[in-house]
Amino acid sequence: MSKLYTDIDVLTAAFERLDYIFEEFEHIYFSVSGGKDSGVMVQLANIVAKQKNRTFDIFNLDIEAHYDATAKFIKQMECLSQVDQVYHFCLPFYEDNNTSVLQTQWIMWNEEERDKWVQPLPSNAITLENLDGELKKCYDNSHGNPDKFMQQFPKWYKKMKGTDKIACGVGIRTDESFNRFRAIALGKNLYKDKKYTTEISKGVFNFYPIYDFSVEDIWGATSQLDFEMNEVYELMYKNGVPLAEQRICQPYGFQQRRGLDQFAALEPDTWRRVVNRVSGANLGNLYAKTSLLGHNGTEKPKNMTWQEYTIFLLESLGLYTPELRDHYYRKIKILMKYYKDNFGMEVTDMPDDSPPKKEQDEDERKWHNWKGIGRAIEKNDFALSSRDYGLTKKDEEELYDLHKKFGKILGTNELKQKTYKKVVDKISEVEKNAEGI
């Protein structure tokens, strides 16, 4: 397919599309997420609406676990001069949690965990308590799935407005996804043959006024028109994140799992609430400690087995220091291989807990249990000395590598045991020489 070009710039084209939509539709709402694209879209719409003496509505499905800067930006968009109704939903929807194998889903705005909410409930929030009858049906029909609710909402909106057609503005850009490009370039069910529209159900039309913007166009419009912006993008830029990779979405997804340290760097206070929100107070305490090798300060929740708790601790370490997690993985595998080779014990044979060593009738197998491993990781026993292991050459290499990456944050000065003396002395000497230089 050959490329098609228009004879106007994308900003002018966006204004023309918005002008057309306001001419064609009496009832319009814009879906606002708190990101840069929907923010530019709705601020462009506000300019056009003001020129035409029109108003529009805003739809926001609040995911609760987001940046403070995002909450502030959403509020700014809701307060634009031409905004009429704001549908700001804070409902208990399920979301995937890719940061844990123990808690694969979490529930946003879960009333049972109100004390852990990442963000306070907005004053204009629509909750289960104030959903009207028809909207409550939309929520019930979604079965806790936020995407299904977003499909239900425009049908309710059209019925509530008593009209035969409505328009919903969506701030997507095709340069972020080839599938998005195909959907618009080859789109069917258009509104009067306009390529930037799609009829998603009878009389309900999505339109995409900035679909042909690049990321540079987004920031160009923001600068040229002096738009408000989500300040977290400025923090991302200062943190070295390229423009094309800057994203704002729920923090427990797969992509966010790969960059959780960035979240911590941008808004540390929010990050502490985020990790406490889904993984519980134990993970919050883990991240609040002063050094990586310090005691994790955690306690096993009553609803967890020692095996689950051990996995939880390893996952928690892996979120911030995968090297430390992998070190313990390696040590535990060696321990398990020893018991398999010497006693024929598989992982599935290992009990969750065992009596103290002095009460084991010299049966060494009884000492092989998940509680002992969990306690070792809880104490950050790097050498696994509590499991009768010593510091090996491989352990020393991994400790040096960790120090090179984390420096004093690693906390080697907290390793007071005799087994670590050689390594600690060497690291201290290196630090002194570096300071002397």
Side-chain angles (χ1 to χ4, degrees):
M1 181 184 296
S2 60
K3 293 183 178 179
L4 300 177
Y5 296 90
T6 62
D7 57 358
I8 57 175
D9 61 85
V10 292
L11 182 57
T12 302
F15 277 128
E16 290 186 357
R17 292 164 191 153
L18 287 162
D19 186 87
Y20 179 78
I21 293 297
F22 276 107
E23 286 291 330
E24 290 288 316
F25 291 83
E26 180 182 0
H27 301 290
I28 304 169
Y29 75 88
F30 290 85
S31 185
V32 174
S33 65
K36 60 185 182 298
D37 299 335
S38 65
V40 164
M41 172 189 67
V42 76
Q43 289 179 88
L44 291 174
N46 198 66
I47 292 174
V48 175
K50 194 169 186 178
Q51 292 170 347
K52 303 177 79 66
N53 195 28
R54 290 286 307 277
T55 61
F56 57 86
D57 300 328
I58 280 182
F59 169 90
N60 172 249
L61 201 158
D62 195 321
I63 66 171
E64 184 221 314
H66 50 63
Y67 294 100
D68 289 348
T70 300
K72 176 184 175 183
F73 183 63
I74 290 172
K75 186 63 178 178
Q76 290 173 320
M77 297 303 96
E78 293 176 345
C79 291
L80 291 171
S81 62
Q82 304 310 113
V83 172
D84 184 15
Q85 295 291 318
V86 174
Y87 300 95
H88 190 135
F89 292 100
C90 297
L91 299 171
F93 290 112
Y94 288 92
E95 276 284 13
D96 289 337
N97 174 24
N98 286 288
T99 65
S100 173
V101 298
L102 296 179
Q103 188 179 1
T104 56
Q105 285 188 319
W106 69 288
I107 304 175
M108 61 183 75
W109 302 111
N110 184 356
E111 190 63 36
E112 294 180 1
E113 297 188 307
R114 177 183 278 265
D115 60 326
K116 295 181 184 178
W117 285 354
V118 177
Q119 297 294 336
L121 190 69
S123 59
N124 64 340
I126 300 174
T127 66
L128 283 181
E129 292 182 355
N130 54 21
L131 276 182
D132 71 22
E134 290 296 320
L135 266 178
K136 182 63 165 57
K137 288 182 181 178
C138 292
Y139 172 77
D140 292 340
N141 291 337
S142 72
H143 301 291
N145 186 319
D147 294 327
K148 290 183 178 180
F149 181 78
M150 287 190 285
Q151 295 169 4
Q152 295 282 329
F153 175 79
K155 298 176 183 178
W156 170 87
Y157 183 81
K158 174 173 170 282
K159 183 178 180 181
M160 186 267 299
K161 293 295 184 181
T163 183
D164 62 341
K165 64 178 183 180
I166 62 160
C168 170
V170 182
I172 63 172
R173 295 183 294 107
T174 56
D175 75 339
E176 288 200 327
S177 165
F178 182 67
N179 287 333
R180 289 181 180 180
F181 170 78
R182 283 175 52 85
I184 293 178
L186 306 177
K188 300 179 181 179
N189 302 322
L190 308 177
Y191 180 80
K192 296 186 177 180
D193 295 326
K194 298 296 182 182
K195 281 290 186 183
Y196 55 88
T197 65
T198 302
E199 186 174 23
I200 59 174
S201 63
K202 186 174 177 57
V204 175
F205 294 88
N206 279 355
F207 66 99
Y208 319 101
I210 61 168
Y211 77 91
D212 47 2
F213 274 44
S214 66
V215 66
E216 290 80 10
D217 293 326
I218 289 293
W219 294 119
T222 299
S223 176
Q224 181 178 329
L225 299 171
D226 195 26
F227 280 167
E228 299 288 350
M229 61 173 285
N230 187 330
E231 294 173 0
V232 82
Y233 288 109
E234 179 73 13
L235 296 176
M236 287 183 183
Y237 182 76
K238 291 178 178 178
N239 204 40
V241 182
L243 293 180
E245 296 179 16
Q246 294 178 359
R247 300 284 187 278
I248 294 179
C249 41
Q250 71 105 344
Y252 309 107
F254 177 70
Q255 292 298 326
Q256 291 68 40
R257 177 181 173 181
R258 296 168 59 186
L260 285 168
D261 56 337
Q262 172 186 296
F263 203 109
L266 299 183
E267 284 190 2
D269 289 339
T270 309
W271 171 236
R272 280 191 283 272
R273 300 197 301 273
V274 164
V275 295
N276 185 62
R277 172 66 175 91
V278 167
S279 297
N282 284 293
L283 183 54
N285 289 337
L286 179 66
Y287 276 86
K289 67 183 182 180
T290 57
S291 67
L292 298 178
L293 289 180
H295 193 294
N296 286 327
T298 60
E299 293 183 3
K300 183 182 76 67
K302 293 181 179 179
N303 64 327
M304 277 187 178
T305 65
W306 279 102
Q307 181 180 6
E308 291 173 336
Y309 180 54
T310 301
I311 295 170
F312 164 78
L313 288 174
L314 289 169
E315 286 185 342
S316 302
L317 288 171
L319 290 175
Y320 196 58
T321 49
E323 300 91 345
L324 190 55
R325 174 203 61 200
D326 293 346
H327 164 79
Y328 284 120
Y329 277 162
R330 181 180 64 79
K331 297 285 283 187
I332 293 169
K333 284 174 66 176
I334 293 172
L335 180 66
M336 291 181 172
K337 184 177 185 303
Y338 170 81
Y339 278 90
K340 181 177 180 180
D341 292 346
N342 288 275
F343 302 103
M345 291 181 67
E346 300 289 345
V347 176
T348 52
D349 298 325
M350 187 164 61
D352 206 55
D353 195 359
S354 292
K357 192 175 182 180
K358 61 183 180 181
E359 300 176 13
Q360 292 171 12
D361 302 324
E362 299 183 355
D363 186 350
E364 185 179 339
R365 290 175 298 179
K366 292 183 178 179
W367 193 52
H368 188 42
N369 60 83
W370 283 108
K371 181 178 181 180
I373 296 175
R375 286 294 193 201
I377 299 173
E378 188 179 60
K379 297 175 182 177
N380 238 323
D381 180 5
F382 190 85
L384 246 61
S385 56
S386 60
R387 298 285 91 193
D388 278 359
Y389 274 21
L391 196 69
T392 66
K393 289 289 184 182
K394 179 66 175 176
D395 295 341
E396 291 181 11
E397 291 174 5
E398 292 177 345
L399 202 51
Y400 290 138
D401 289 340
L402 280 165
H403 179 75
K404 287 178 184 178
K405 179 174 181 179
F406 294 102
K408 291 184 178 180
I409 297 175
L410 184 63
T412 51
N413 60 312
E414 297 183 30
L415 301 174
K416 304 298 185 182
Q417 299 93 326
K418 185 177 180 180
T419 187
Y420 298 110
K421 187 176 186 308
K422 176 184 174 182
V423 178
V424 172
D425 288 347
K426 182 175 180 180
I427 289 175
S428 297
E429 184 179 347
V430 171
E431 287 179 344
K432 288 179 181 177
N433 291 336
E435 291 173 359
I437 293 173

